[in-house]
Amino acid sequence: MCGIFLFFDEPKYTNENLINDIFNDIKRRGPDDSNLLHLDNLTIGHSRLTLVDLGEGGRQPKQDEDERYFLSFNGEIYNWVELAKKYNLNSCSGDTDLLFKLLINYSCQKILTEIDGPFAIIFYDKKNDELILARDQFGEKPLYYYEDTHKKIVCSSNKFRFNLEKYSSDKVKNYFQNLNSRGFYLPDGIRSIKPGSIEVYKNFSVSRSYQKSLITSKSYKSSNLYEILMNSLKVRSRLDVDFCVFLSGGVDSTLTTAMLCDLGFKPKCFTIANNKEDIEYKESEKISKKFNLDLELINLKKDLISYFEYYDSQFSPLADTAGYPLYCGTKHISKNFKCAFVGDGADEAFMGYPRYQFSFLLEKFNFKILRNLFEISKLKFFDRQELKKIDNSLEFLSMSISRNKSERALLNNFQQEKNSSLLKIMRDFDRKERLPDYLMLKSDNNSMCNGVELRSMFLNKELFSFSEELSFFDNWKYGFINKKPLRDLLKDKYSIKIKNKKQGFFVDHLKQLQSLMDIVINTSNNYPLINKFLNELIQSKNFKNNIMNINCLLVTVFTALPKSFKDEIYYNLQKY
């Protein structure tokens, strides 16, 4: 994977320092090589993480001999060998070389639909002054667009927004407030290119756009699940570098590990946990012994420097500490590996979350009965005043699965098909909104910052089309045991039975985050405007033992405040 970048501005407003600042940040996504290409008032950049085609053929930005076409591509075309054969381009050295030739000679709609793999693409035709921006249908790779009166920016990160103007406490406060209520917020003026979309710009104005569905019209009802997964895994394991597996002992990572062994691999496995007494390590140890694989424990780091680096590393910041274990894991393995297999997407494909149970339950019972039961219960999760105001099943469902009011609003306003069941609404919402805008973003943030790519055999269009035809009881055995198709595969083929509910391990961030916040506030004493802003914020919100508020404050500090201030925080931490 890589980092991609485009900067267009009017000549008299060209700011080379700004270009270099933005580009230097995304270099972390591709530590192996980085290049900027200047074309009059247009700059295209690329930072490269080499996994396939390690030579010059994969170097970017890519241009033809006539200097008409230019490509900056972040992603992997897993089926590039098959596409090269189909289009008689067998001389291509790798997926980048292939993609470049295909985009020059064929419709982008046709080509991008055939790709199996994650991508974010910047493709520019200088002669026709036409720009194409595109993202894969799972939204695995981010791509952001910004424009104002004088410039336009396309980038793998959205963090650059606060570099574009002088510090403003009002704008930073607005960022914090939105982040605090939503968990993720794009700074003013920035939008995300939607997953599965292709945008075509003529003279840097949108001339047309296309949206591709994740689910194909072809029926896969009679297909064999093992064959679909194996075909997916075969092309994803086609690498020119070594890879490893993040093994948790759960259904998804265990099946991935077992099937990699079927292909003849003996991947090293890593488990992220507090210690060897955590249930995840114990379960992973059983799996690694069964397949005779090397297993290494990655202990979560608890020092403040590590937390500082975590917050400072994020390309598209989320107000969520759930990414910290993955950050620690990818940082650890980056010494020896550039790629790791994970189980992303399995829960969305096979209804793995408990909220699918609840959605199904709500379809069978009048929500008012359940609402009244919750009203008289002592569950602190629910606000009784809010419960009384709920007057439909969807609102009740959204309140039951999330405390975050903005996430509830997203689900309530989700554009579902007419007369859809609650179960279908929940599934579509997870696939179209939550998977790309939260889970994929979290994975990308916390792997690419350490120069590591994550791959999953479950993020496959054929697999999702197959699972689309499965009913609730196809996925939930007796309505109580989730991901039945995957569990059956593990049991029948490998004689492995996974516990019904993976317990995970507990991570208490509060003490460390509180200490980091205290150092941030002490450091602000040398910055009057920042100090005033922080004190006003602290007086307006409850920060005592409130990890959500503390986390949002730290994300805001590391996203929106000047680099000189963050450098001084780091200096003070070293003395701490």
Side-chain angles (χ1 to χ4, degrees):
M1 299 297 179
C2 312
I4 61 176
F5 170 62
L6 179 143
F7 192 101
F8 171 82
D9 59 356
E10 297 174 16
K12 64 179 180 179
Y13 292 102
T14 298
N15 186 335
E16 290 190 8
N17 289 333
L18 176 60
I19 292 173
N20 290 329
D21 284 346
I22 298 173
F23 188 55
N24 284 335
D25 182 54
I26 68 164
K27 280 182 181 179
R28 294 176 293 128
R29 299 180 63 90
D32 296 326
D33 187 29
S34 58
N35 298 285
L36 278 176
L37 192 63
H38 300 283
L39 310 168
D40 299 325
N41 55 339
L42 179 69
T43 300
I44 302 176
H46 187 271
S47 60
R48 184 183 180 197
L49 178 67
T50 53
L51 298 172
V52 176
D53 187 14
L54 307 185
E56 288 295 310
R59 201 166 193 227
Q60 300 184 59
K62 203 163 182 64
Q63 58 182 312
D64 65 330
E65 291 181 357
D66 297 329
E67 297 187 358
R68 172 181 172 177
Y69 298 104
F70 302 87
L71 171 68
S72 189
F73 160 54
N74 170 26
E76 298 290 341
I77 302 177
Y78 299 134
N79 60 333
W80 76 271
V81 173
E82 290 75 14
L83 289 176
K85 289 179 181 177
K86 177 178 178 178
Y87 289 96
N88 197 26
L89 293 169
N90 297 313
S91 62
C92 290
S93 59
D95 59 349
T96 301
D97 192 25
L98 174 74
L99 177 64
F100 189 52
K101 290 174 181 176
L102 289 175
L103 288 175
I104 290 173
N105 294 294
Y106 297 94
S107 158
C108 62
Q109 281 182 275
K110 174 180 173 58
I111 296 306
L112 299 182
T113 302
E114 294 186 42
I115 291 176
D116 178 13
F119 59 81
I121 293 170
I122 298 172
F123 182 70
Y124 181 60
D125 177 349
K126 185 178 180 181
K127 181 180 178 180
N128 293 324
D129 197 14
E130 187 173 86
L131 173 69
I132 295 173
L133 305 178
R135 278 182 79 195
D136 68 88
Q137 286 144 306
F138 288 102
E140 287 190 68
K141 295 293 106 185
L143 193 61
Y144 300 98
Y145 182 89
Y146 169 85
E147 70 173 307
D148 59 28
T149 307
H150 305 297
K151 58 184 169 292
K152 297 172 176 65
I153 300 171
V154 182
C155 191
S156 297
S157 168
N158 67 53
K159 219 172 175 181
F160 65 83
R161 177 64 182 88
F162 291 97
N163 293 345
L164 302 180
E165 54 200 22
K166 292 181 179 180
Y167 169 78
S168 164
S169 59
D170 288 340
K171 289 187 177 180
V172 176
K173 187 175 182 180
N174 177 63
Y175 179 77
F176 169 83
Q177 289 171 338
N178 279 284
L179 191 70
N180 192 244
S181 64
R182 303 182 188 186
F184 173 69
Y185 177 65
L186 285 175
D188 292 343
I190 294 182
R191 65 179 177 85
S192 174
I193 305 299
K194 292 181 179 180
S197 67
I198 302 168
E199 296 185 0
V200 182
Y201 295 74
K202 190 75 174 176
N203 301 319
F204 282 90
S205 295
V206 178
S207 62
R208 57 193 186 277
S209 61
Y210 313 95
Q211 188 78 28
K212 294 296 181 182
S213 172
L214 181 63
I215 307 301
T216 65
S217 57
K218 177 183 173 182
S219 175
Y220 287 87
K221 206 163 189 177
S222 60
S223 300
N224 181 282
L225 175 58
Y226 179 80
E227 288 180 5
I228 293 174
L229 288 171
M230 183 54 75
N231 289 336
S232 176
L233 195 58
K234 279 179 182 177
V235 294
R236 281 157 177 74
S237 58
R238 194 156 54 195
L239 287 144
D240 293 333
V241 297
D242 290 335
F243 60 81
C244 61
V245 175
F246 279 124
L247 180 60
S248 67
V251 172
D252 316 328
S253 63
T254 297
L255 184 57
T256 300
T257 303
M259 293 184 69
L260 281 169
C261 291
D262 283 353
L263 287 172
F265 295 107
K266 288 290 181 182
K268 180 162 184 177
C269 299
F270 292 89
T271 297
I272 307 166
N274 291 308
N275 52 58
K276 291 187 176 182
E277 297 305 311
D278 280 338
I279 189 65
E280 292 216 358
Y281 182 81
K282 289 181 177 180
E283 294 300 316
S284 297
E285 191 174 36
K286 293 176 186 176
I287 301 303
S288 63
K289 286 181 178 178
K290 178 178 178 65
F291 293 101
N292 194 27
L293 301 174
D294 184 20
L295 175 67
E296 182 177 332
L297 172 68
I298 300 177
N299 290 108
L300 281 182
K301 293 186 176 181
K302 301 292 179 66
D303 61 287
L304 295 186
I305 292 287
S306 292
Y307 278 93
F308 173 97
E309 291 174 344
Y310 166 67
Y311 282 104
D312 199 38
S313 72
Q314 306 294 289
F315 295 108
S316 308
L318 292 164
D320 187 353
T321 53
Y324 185 69
L326 180 60
Y327 168 81
C328 292
T330 57
K331 185 174 183 181
H332 180 88
I333 69 167
S334 65
K335 302 165 191 172
N336 299 300
F337 296 97
K338 294 181 179 181
C339 180
F341 277 85
V342 293
D344 289 352
D347 285 306
E348 288 72 26
F350 296 99
M351 299 189 194
Y353 301 118
R355 57 176 168 269
Y356 294 115
Q357 280 179 302
F358 196 67
S359 301
F360 184 78
L361 186 68
L362 269 177
E363 290 176 8
K364 306 301 176 185
F365 295 92
N366 188 310
F367 83 92
K368 293 180 180 178
I369 297 173
L370 294 174
R371 183 190 65 185
N372 293 338
L373 287 173
F374 287 153
E375 271 193 73
I376 61 175
S377 73
K378 295 181 179 180
L379 291 172
K380 294 181 180 180
F381 185 88
F382 297 100
D383 183 315
R384 283 165 177 73
Q385 294 304 314
E386 283 189 76
L387 273 173
K388 291 177 181 178
K389 297 177 183 177
I390 291 175
D391 62 0
N392 65 68
S393 298
L394 185 59
E395 284 185 8
F396 185 68
L397 174 62
S398 66
M399 185 177 183
S400 302
I401 64 172
S402 177
R403 294 189 183 193
N404 187 298
K405 292 182 180 179
S406 292
E407 187 175 352
R408 294 179 201 168
L410 280 174
L411 179 55
N412 290 335
N413 298 324
F414 178 62
Q415 297 296 310
Q416 64 270 47
E417 296 176 16
K418 191 175 181 181
N419 299 322
S420 291
S421 68
L422 287 177
L423 188 64
K424 179 169 174 51
I425 292 171
M426 190 75 261
R427 174 182 253 187
D428 288 348
F429 174 76
D430 276 348
R431 290 179 173 186
K432 296 177 182 179
E433 300 281 346
R434 191 171 181 271
L435 179 64
D437 293 341
Y438 172 65
L439 295 173
M440 293 296 92
L441 199 57
K442 182 178 70 173
S443 291
D444 182 83
N445 266 339
N446 295 293
S447 58
M448 293 308 300
C449 64
N450 291 317
V452 173
E453 177 190 319
L454 301 181
R455 293 190 175 191
S456 172
M457 66 178 180
F458 301 105
L459 293 170
N460 173 273
K461 288 179 282 187
E462 188 176 348
L463 178 70
F464 269 64
S465 296
F466 168 85
S467 68
E468 178 75 5
E469 300 184 55
L470 300 178
S471 69
F472 174 77
F473 285 109
D474 287 334
N475 286 305
W476 283 80
K477 187 176 182 180
Y478 311 127
F480 294 102
I481 302 175
N482 69 349
K483 291 186 277 194
K484 180 180 179 296
L486 302 183
R487 291 178 186 274
D488 288 348
L489 197 52
L490 278 170
K491 182 182 176 183
D492 297 342
K493 193 161 184 64
Y494 306 102
S495 301
I496 295 174
K497 186 176 181 181
I498 303 292
K499 289 183 178 179
N500 181 27
K501 187 176 181 181
K502 189 172 68 172
Q503 295 180 16
F505 61 95
F506 177 69
V507 183
D508 186 3
H509 300 286
L510 183 60
K511 182 180 178 181
Q512 284 81 2
L513 298 194
Q514 184 73 59
S515 297
L516 183 55
M517 188 181 81
D518 290 343
I519 291 173
V520 167
I521 293 168
N522 289 336
T523 303
S524 73
N525 290 329
N526 296 328
Y527 297 79
L529 289 176
I530 294 175
N531 182 259
K532 181 183 178 183
F533 157 71
L534 290 174
N535 283 322
E536 287 176 354
L537 210 57
I538 289 167
Q539 290 171 13
S540 67
K541 288 274 186 181
N542 173 28
F543 283 87
K544 186 175 181 180
N545 297 327
N546 189 319
I547 194 166
M548 179 64 183
N549 286 345
I550 296 172
N551 188 38
C552 287
L553 177 64
L554 291 172
V555 171
T556 301
V557 166
F558 286 94
T559 301
L561 296 189
K563 183 177 182 299
S564 57
F565 178 58
K566 292 182 283 186
D567 288 343
E568 190 164 336
I569 295 171
Y570 188 77
Y571 175 77
N572 290 334
L573 278 172
Q574 290 177 311
K575 298 189 299 181
Y576 183 72

